Amino acid sequence: MINLWQRLDSMTRDIVPFAVAVFLTLISSLPLPISGGSAVTPILSLIAFFYWYLIRPDLMPVLAGFVLGLLQDILSGVPLGLHALAYLLVAEVVSRRWFGLSRESFRSMWLGFALTSYGLGMIMWLFYSLFHFHYISPDMYAMRMIITLFAFPPSVWAFAAIHRHILR
């Protein structure tokens, strides 16, 4: 009986990163009003996927990122597969340690995330423009990535606390 509770505890702990990322995906679907009347949302689940895939890829596999991306697509109303593709690209960047990604240094992690999210923002803007067959101003995507970039430090702090207190 004790073994059953230990296994259940272990399974519960193992799904925490994905559950947090799903929760952040739901929060990301709530628009933040920015001056000018437009609504811009940070991609909080992108931060979660980036962090957990870098720190604990065993708890956040590529398939989980793909599912998060599809959920983000459904909730945000963009072409299905846009965020899913973005998360697959993030997995590629993280797994190859491009941009000097490191688990030990917050600065290198943040810089790697900044470069990755900038590239993703440009790719998403291009695909979205191509999908609608006309030029769409990149301002919204730039603002979205800037907000996401500034949401990175407090998010990483929270994820590190989760990792320290729940997952170890």
Side-chain angles (χ1 to χ4, degrees), residues 54-112:
L54 179 65
I55 301 299
R56 293 288 305 268
D58 58 319
L59 299 180
M60 185 66 76
V62 175
L63 181 60
F66 186 78
V67 170
L68 287 172
L70 288 178
L71 180 60
Q72 185 79 34
D73 292 337
I74 291 166
L75 292 173
S76 61
V78 299
L80 196 60
L82 185 62
H83 287 97
L85 173 65
Y87 286 38
L88 294 176
L89 292 173
V90 166
E92 182 66 19
V93 168
V94 170
S95 66
R96 295 194 185 259
R97 302 276 194 241
W98 290 345
F99 308 128
L101 291 174
S102 169
R103 298 175 194 197
E104 290 79 32
S105 168
F106 174 77
R107 279 189 233 163
S108 71
M109 190 186 304
W110 198 13
L111 178 62

Side-chain angles (χ1 to χ4, degrees), residues 9-166:
D9 179 61
S10 177
M11 288 174 27
T12 305
R13 289 173 190 260
D14 288 351
I15 65 166
V16 165
F18 183 72
V20 168
V22 167
F23 177 72
L24 292 175
T25 303
L26 297 173
I27 288 177
S28 292
S29 68
L30 302 172
L32 298 174
I34 303 295
S35 65
S38 64
V40 179
T41 59
I43 310 174
L44 298 174
S45 59
L46 175 64
I47 300 170
F49 180 69
F50 181 91
Y51 176 82
W52 290 113
Y53 192 74
L54 179 65
I55 301 299
R56 293 288 305 268
D58 58 319
L59 299 180
M60 185 66 76
V62 175
L63 181 60
F66 186 78
V67 170
L68 287 172
L70 288 178
L71 180 60
Q72 185 79 34
D73 292 337
I74 291 166
L75 292 173
S76 61
V78 299
L80 196 60
L82 185 62
H83 287 97
L85 173 65
Y87 286 38
L88 294 176
L89 292 173
V90 166
E92 182 66 19
V93 168
V94 170
S95 66
R96 295 194 185 259
R97 302 276 194 241
W98 290 345
F99 308 128
L101 291 174
S102 169
R103 298 175 194 197
E104 290 79 32
S105 168
F106 174 77
R107 279 189 233 163
S108 71
M109 190 186 304
W110 198 13
L111 178 62
F113 180 77
L115 294 171
T116 303
S117 63
Y118 174 77
L120 284 176
M122 297 306 294
I123 291 169
M124 290 169 64
W125 163 75
L126 178 65
F127 280 133
Y128 197 72
S129 292
L130 291 172
F131 181 78
H132 288 286
F133 298 112
H134 66 83
Y135 175 80
I136 295 173
S137 175
D139 295 345
M140 182 185 76
Y141 282 95
M143 182 60 73
R144 188 175 196 197
M145 290 302 144
I146 289 169
I147 291 171
T148 302
L149 184 61
F150 283 108
F152 188 80
S155 299
V156 166
W157 177 81
F159 299 152
I162 289 170
H163 192 234
R164 259 190 324 274
H165 297 294
I166 296 175

